[in-house]
Amino acid sequence: MMSGWPRDGDWRLSWTLPHDTPRHPGNHFSAMEEHAAAIARTVDTWLSGLP
């Protein structure tokens, strides 16, 4: 067990500052193939909302 690694397996980071957390299908491994189009739409939508 790595120091600071949660025992419940929840590897997600936390961020205390205001932020958006978009949800998308898949995981780190499927993001580049199986779910690439959906993730690209998520990123495009997020970028379109920036000032």
Side-chain angles (χ1 to χ4, degrees), residues 15-20:
W15 188 259
T16 58
L17 300 173
H19 63 283
D20 293 322

Side-chain angles (χ1 to χ4, degrees), residues 3 17 19 34 47:
S3 176
L17 300 173
H19 63 283
E34 181 181 352
L47 289 172

Side-chain angles (χ1 to χ4, degrees), residues 8-42:
D8 64 2
D10 188 358
W11 53 266
R12 291 175 289 187
L13 298 174
S14 62
W15 188 259
T16 58
L17 300 173
H19 63 283
D20 293 322
T21 306
R23 300 289 181 205
H24 56 80
N27 58 39
H28 177 80
F29 300 105
S30 65
M32 299 308 290
E33 293 182 9
E34 181 181 352
H35 299 292
I39 293 171
R41 285 189 299 272
T42 300

